[in-house]
Amino acid sequence: MKKNIVVIVLLLGLVGWGAYDTIQKNDVREARRSSSEQSTPDSSLTVGINQGNLAPDFELNTLDGQSIKLSDLRGKKVIVNMWATWCPPCRAEMPDMQKVYEKYKDENVTILAVNMTTSEKNVESIPAFLQEFEITFPVVLDEKNEVADMYQVVALPSSFLIDSNGVIQQKVIGPMNYEMMEKMVGQIH
């Protein structure tokens, strides 16, 4: 019984923190929204975070300093997953993400895990997390919260399923399981 109460208190604390964080960053997000939702000169698509929008481009570094740019992944179906090591639902979905990556990586499907680094208590916990779950897909660090703001991330995990043309096909707030991911990957072109 006491364990259930502790879990409920922790979950309420996470929800409360998320609401507080959302309120604090609302002005920044609003400013970025107006600047990121603009037409691209070479396309009729609008750059934005809604379904049917061209996904906003970003460039972040991996733990070993390698730079990865979202637009460099064009031609592949991409699951962009926003996560943190302290997030229980993130921990729950990581093994399924790895399974999906292993199954579909040779079929032009990839996962780009964007760690919400500013929310981490200790950056050193990230490599241990990746080793624990045997993660082999690309992981980048959002050290300045730029991608979180650009994509208006209000809860973790949050994922964006992007087609091979760079267009957002689906946005998922909360954890996904293997079956969900497999179904969504199959529906993306």
Side-chain angles (χ1 to χ4, degrees):
M1 182 68 166
K2 287 184 180 181
K3 285 184 179 180
N4 289 344
I5 292 172
V6 170
V7 169
I8 290 170
V9 169
L10 284 172
L11 288 173
L12 289 174
L14 286 173
V15 170
W17 176 82
Y20 171 79
D21 190 52
T22 300
I23 292 167
Q24 292 290 55
K25 295 179 180 173
N26 194 33
D27 289 341
V28 172
R29 287 191 178 108
E30 218 32 61
R32 293 211 182 197
R33 173 188 284 175
S34 62
S35 67
S36 70
E37 290 191 357
Q38 53 194 353
S39 290
T40 57
D42 60 336
S43 171
S44 61
L45 292 176
T46 298
V47 175
I49 60 166
N50 297 315
Q51 186 174 350
N53 290 155
L54 190 62
D57 199 15
F58 60 84
E59 185 172 2
L60 295 172
N61 291 326
T62 62
L63 284 166
D64 63 4
Q66 178 187 357
S67 177
I68 297 179
K69 192 172 183 178
L70 180 61
S71 60
D72 289 343
L73 300 175
R74 293 257 170 85
K76 295 184 177 196
K77 300 175 186 181
V78 182
I79 298 174
V80 176
N81 176 256
M82 316 295 187
W83 68 283
T85 62
W86 53 263
C87 164
C90 301
R91 295 180 70 82
E93 78 176 352
M94 279 294 176
D96 285 342
M97 286 208 164
Q98 182 61 36
K99 286 180 197 173
V100 167
Y101 178 71
E102 286 298 321
K103 183 173 181 178
Y104 293 101
K105 68 182 178 180
D106 294 330
E107 298 176 31
N108 277 333
V109 175
T110 194
I111 294 172
L112 182 59
V114 180
N115 176 266
M116 302 290 100
T117 313
T118 59
S119 75
E120 297 286 358
K121 290 181 183 176
N122 184 349
V123 177
E124 287 77 35
S125 64
I126 300 169
F129 180 95
L130 299 176
Q131 186 174 18
E132 175 185 347
F133 290 99
E134 300 177 355
I135 301 303
T136 60
F137 49 80
V139 175
V140 292
L141 308 176
D142 188 8
E143 296 178 295
K144 296 179 182 174
N145 219 45
E146 293 170 346
V147 175
D149 288 343
M150 185 185 307
Y151 280 76
Q152 300 176 23
V153 176
V154 294
L156 295 179
S158 288
S159 298
F160 293 82
L161 285 87
I162 301 171
D163 70 15
S164 58
N165 295 315
V167 177
I168 296 172
Q169 296 298 314
Q170 192 150 358
K171 178 180 178 178
V172 179
I173 297 174
M176 297 185 290
N177 62 32
Y178 180 82
E179 291 76 21
M180 287 175 65
M181 286 182 257
E182 189 171 46
K183 181 179 178 182
M184 287 187 266
V185 164
Q187 293 173 343
I188 308 173
H189 301 328

